[in-house]
Amino acid sequence: MANLVEIARKTNEWTVKNVDGMELIFSPRLSELDFVTHAFTTRLGGETKAPFDSFNLGGSVGDDETKRDAINNRMRLCNALSVDFSNLFVPGQVHSRNVEIVREREHMPDLKGVDGLLTEKNATPLLLHFADCVPVMVVETRKKLIGIFHAGWRGTAASIVSHGVERMVKEMGGDPRNMVGAVGPAIGPCCYPTSDDVARALSETVSTGPDGLIGRNGNQPAPDLKAFNALQLLECGVEQVDVSNFCTACNPGMFYSHRQSGGTTGRQGAMIALRGV
Ligand SMILES: [Zn+2]
């Protein structure tokens, strides 16, 4: 059997494309699926003022003008990708492992305290926000199911991605062998010195050699959060996983980074929808 840790650590180059003035990033494997629309946004392409410049999508940062901009920016993103803004689902993220299956908007439960969304409904775009935390998308290609997850260290330590895949299997009829995963731009081990407790909590989420996913940064452990999420997917039986080579903290001109900015910054987004072809 191939070494899953080695596969999880392997990043690949993703497509960066200017779409209607927005600088967007696309997973190579998800781009091959004609029934899915997806994008990982950057901070480039909007008009929002510093320190939230310029394409902030997060609705809970900044003043009223910034918040209005965020709604406009979400609308522009939906229009550029030809998905229905009026059907957009945006949860209130809290670094939990809570995942909701969403279908009809009017029958929606409160999406506060939710960090993962799943759906099998066409034309139902799902949008989550990030500033260093790991964006993860999963597509089941036979049943045509999609999932998206917000995995900072807490969500990763709580195995939100494994939990989401399990629900796609048990409640939606998915099969991990038909799933494709994409682990997007996030803080890398290069910029993420943390505590022994965090490193230990992350290690407990996987069974194959977590040591290979934790480097050293000075005297501190430096976990590779993207690789942990990729390994969780691989251990669930998802065989095809793209991992972005972008570190958000290394590229402050391109991405919002909570850690690099000292905490006051905007949010990039990750959006996915079933196109229904
Ligand atoms: Zn870095």
Side-chain angles (χ1 to χ4, degrees):
M1 193 176 81
N3 183 336
L4 292 186
V5 173
E6 284 311 307
I7 299 171
R9 287 177 60 181
K10 217 168 153 200
T11 60
N12 55 358
E13 202 154 317
W14 293 25
T15 309
V16 182
K17 207 160 73 180
N18 190 299
V19 181
D20 290 354
M22 290 159 275
E23 201 82 348
L24 306 179
I25 300 176
F26 301 91
S27 143
R29 280 187 166 100
L30 294 191
S31 298
E32 284 174 14
L33 305 174
D34 62 359
F35 62 93
V36 169
T37 298
H38 85 287
F40 295 81
T41 72
T42 66
R43 70 186 298 167
L44 302 171
E47 292 176 6
T48 306
K49 290 181 298 197
F52 307 102
D53 51 307
S54 64
F55 193 57
N56 171 56
L57 295 171
S60 60
V61 295
D63 60 10
D64 288 348
E65 191 188 336
T66 305
K67 286 174 183 160
R68 268 196 306 276
D69 277 358
I71 305 302
N72 278 336
N73 289 337
R74 290 175 187 175
M75 210 180 296
R76 279 186 56 214
L77 177 67
C78 287
N79 289 341
L81 298 176
S82 302
V83 302
D84 185 0
F85 173 74
S86 66
N87 248 349
L88 183 68
F89 282 92
V90 184
Q93 302 165 201
V94 292
H95 300 278
S96 71
R97 68 175 248 150
N98 300 329
V99 175
E100 285 283 352
I101 301 172
V102 296
R103 294 186 175 103
E104 306 299 332
R105 253 185 105 70
E106 56 269 34
H107 300 136
M108 265 320 295
D110 189 355
L111 286 177
K112 285 202 181 92
V114 171
D115 289 272
L117 297 175
L118 308 173
T119 195
E120 74 278 83
K121 289 271 294 181
N122 287 333
T124 304
L126 313 175
L127 173 69
L128 268 60
H129 299 117
F130 304 87
D132 286 340
C133 291
V134 186
V136 181
M137 297 180 186
V138 177
V139 177
E140 214 283 14
T141 59
R142 289 253 174 92
K143 294 281 286 187
K144 297 192 174 164
L145 315 172
I146 54 173
I148 184 164
F149 310 97
H150 165 242
W153 81 260
R154 284 191 187 85
T156 308
S159 302
I160 185 170
V161 164
S162 315
H163 175 57
V165 168
E166 195 183 305
R167 292 195 60 185
M168 289 170 91
V169 172
K170 287 189 177 156
E171 295 172 50
M172 303 171 89
D175 183 335
R177 287 170 301 185
N178 302 328
M179 291 182 191
V180 178
V183 179
I187 197 162
C190 39
C191 299
Y192 194 55
T194 186
S195 70
D196 290 328
D197 286 350
V198 168
R200 199 171 311 116
L202 293 168
S203 298
E204 284 167 3
T205 66
V206 292
S207 51
T208 36
D211 289 350
L213 304 186
I214 299 175
R216 299 298 297 180
N217 193 320
N219 291 325
Q220 293 175 274
D224 185 337
L225 287 179
K226 285 182 287 184
F228 267 104
N229 281 286
L231 185 55
Q232 287 181 15
L233 288 174
L234 293 162
E235 289 190 352
C236 285
V238 180
E239 291 165 9
Q240 294 191 61
V241 183
D242 275 346
V243 183
S244 165
N245 56 11
F246 279 117
C247 167
T248 46
C250 279
N251 296 284
M254 190 166 182
F255 298 103
Y256 298 109
S257 168
H258 188 269
R259 199 169 261 228
Q260 192 277 337
S261 68
T264 306
T265 193
R267 300 288 181 273
Q268 49 251 348
M271 189 172 74
I272 187 163
L274 286 167
R275 221 184 265 171
V277 293

